[in-house]
Amino acid sequence: MQLYHDIPYCQGVENALKRARRLSQFQYYAIKPLPIIDRFRPTLEKPDSTLIESHAAPWLPLKGILYSSVRRSETYVGYNITPETFVTALSNPNSVMYTDPIKGTGQNVHNRYGIVCSCFVSYSLNIHYRTNCARWPSMPGIHTVDTTELENIKLADVVLNPKSHIAIVTDIERDLEGKVHFITVSESTIPYIRVTRFNPEQFRNYWLANGYTVFRYDGAKDVPYEPDPFAPVEGDPTMPEPFINRSLMPDFGNKANYRRGEQPVVISVFEEGCEAVEITDPDGEKTLWPVEDGFVKLDPDKLGVYEAACVKGEERSASVSFCVTGLIIKAEKEEYALGEKVTLKIDNPAGDTIVAWQFNKRADDKGNGGGWLDLTTEKEVTIAGPNVAVPSELYLIAKNAFGCYTSRRIPLEIKE
């Protein structure tokens, strides 16, 4: 039987599918054992799964961004970490992806960089910032799709259980009469993003019979797309070969954000004979830093973008870049009643757009409420308080040319 793939009904939907493929078809490899999170189901009699901290083998080709719920560092691939930063961090044996895993939480997190289901779908549909599963049904522009007939489903529709998981429809195959024979669903799941082709019976029983509803996002029509040489998608125009600087590499990857005073910049120097690294600060001032045991370590104070290059006599290597951020917030008090709004003073010297706020539970870093913002010059903001009365930490998320980054966290006590 001849089957036909659905054609995106507008440019925005086509762009959303490309964004999904960018991360789901992303091909990469590690050069050292790569920390990942995996799932173990012991027996049919004891089907409950256990999350385990594992590793992917060096030099093994991988496809699909790895899963890691990096709430602690807010370093999600897509929003916070670009493909270039991800790839260049993988290329550095001393990067945080290898040397600084998140250990011992018993949760769905291990690597310092990764993605989760809500972040993957949010990124695919260009949502303002990553939005957890529970908030999707009330998001502007979201409405349910009648799945009595699977023929009602369209490309870029969302498959959602607000309590647990979210995925996106990335292909539909129909016969000449329009009857659906296969639905392909892409999802961020442990250990890597997965793309699965379901027949109607499988789709109904795996998704719809397990508490999932199909939703459509009206904003899909407006999703943008820009080709990226570090994560090419089929159909992209010819682009220059992506450049990875093998002379020196920052530990967070090229074009990463560092919080001032909290995250020192560690640059690995690999170029033979390089005895000094030239650092150019945001004001254009240049200083030479000696290489010690293959590293240059610095704790910059100025906010903004820095460049670093190896210097050997009159020779100078290509440069790498990093940005130092300094978003600071302060609450009007340290203790709040559950349901009470929180007013924050904002010190945003870079003038970057603040896109979201987030509460995390202090005990386990799980989310405890959050929302979108769109602030640039404001010095104060009032936001809804946390969802649960437990000790929490609050931070804001801002966006610059290298991706989204966070303020320093502030602790708050939340009482009933």
Side-chain angles (χ1 to χ4, degrees), residues 119-334:
C119 189
F120 172 58
V121 178
S122 296
Y123 175 83
S124 299
L125 289 170
N126 195 43
I127 304 302
H128 188 70
Y129 190 63
R130 68 175 183 88
T131 300
N132 66 28
C133 297
R135 287 171 52 201
W136 272 79
S138 59
M139 196 170 66
I142 285 285
H143 54 88
T144 59
V145 174
D146 179 6
T147 52
T148 305
E149 302 291 337
L150 296 185
E151 285 68 31
N152 293 330
I153 296 175
K154 292 184 178 182
L155 294 172
D157 282 354
V158 168
V159 187
L160 170 69
N161 182 330
K163 296 180 179 180
S164 59
H165 190 49
I166 189 170
I168 185 170
V169 174
T170 50
D171 192 18
I172 301 172
E173 298 168 66
R174 306 176 192 258
D175 60 24
L176 278 172
E177 284 71 43
K179 182 178 176 60
V180 169
H181 287 258
F182 294 99
I183 300 172
T184 296
V185 178
S186 299
E187 55 182 325
S188 173
T189 188
I190 295 171
Y192 310 104
I193 293 176
R194 180 171 66 194
V195 180
T196 311
R197 184 174 180 248
F198 295 87
N199 67 31
E201 182 181 21
Q202 293 165 340
F203 184 87
R204 289 189 180 281
N205 283 282
Y206 187 84
W207 297 106
L208 303 184
N210 284 309
Y212 286 84
T213 302
V214 176
F215 288 84
R216 185 163 301 144
Y217 174 51
D218 293 337
K221 69 181 186 306
D222 301 316
V223 173
Y225 175 79
E226 289 290 337
D228 187 329
F230 284 88
V233 172
E234 184 179 356
D236 282 349
T238 302
M239 293 175 284
E241 188 73 18
F243 173 69
I244 299 175
N245 194 328
R246 306 291 180 180
S247 296
L248 71 172
M249 298 179 178
D251 58 337
F252 280 24
N254 195 30
K255 299 181 181 177
N257 287 306
Y258 292 77
R259 283 189 297 277
R260 178 171 62 184
E262 184 177 340
Q263 298 166 316
V265 181
V266 181
I267 299 174
S268 297
V269 179
F270 301 105
E271 183 162 322
E272 187 175 349
C274 176
E275 297 180 352
V277 169
E278 181 185 80
I279 303 292
T280 304
D281 75 11
D283 295 326
E285 296 181 9
K286 300 179 186 297
T287 55
L288 285 179
W289 289 69
V291 178
E292 300 180 359
D293 299 323
F295 296 95
V296 167
K297 301 179 181 179
L298 58 155
D299 194 2
D301 186 62
K302 290 182 183 179
L303 302 182
V305 175
Y306 290 72
E307 291 194 351
C310 283
V311 176
K312 295 190 299 182
E314 299 298 319
E315 298 180 11
R316 185 181 183 277
S317 74
S319 62
V320 292
S321 302
F322 58 90
C323 184
V324 175
T325 66
L327 178 62
I328 302 293
I329 57 174
K330 183 178 181 180
E332 58 185 350
K333 54 185 180 178
E334 297 179 355

Side-chain angles (χ1 to χ4, degrees), residues 17 19-20 24 45 59 64 89 91 98 106-107 116 123 136 142 147 177 180 327 334 339 349 368 401 403 405 416:
L17 300 181
R19 291 167 71 99
S24 66
E45 291 75 22
W59 306 104
S91 302
Y98 303 115
Q107 299 178 33
V116 294
Y123 175 83
W136 272 79
I142 285 285
T147 52
E177 284 71 43
V180 169
L327 178 62
E334 297 179 355
N368 194 19
Y405 65 90
E416 289 283 2

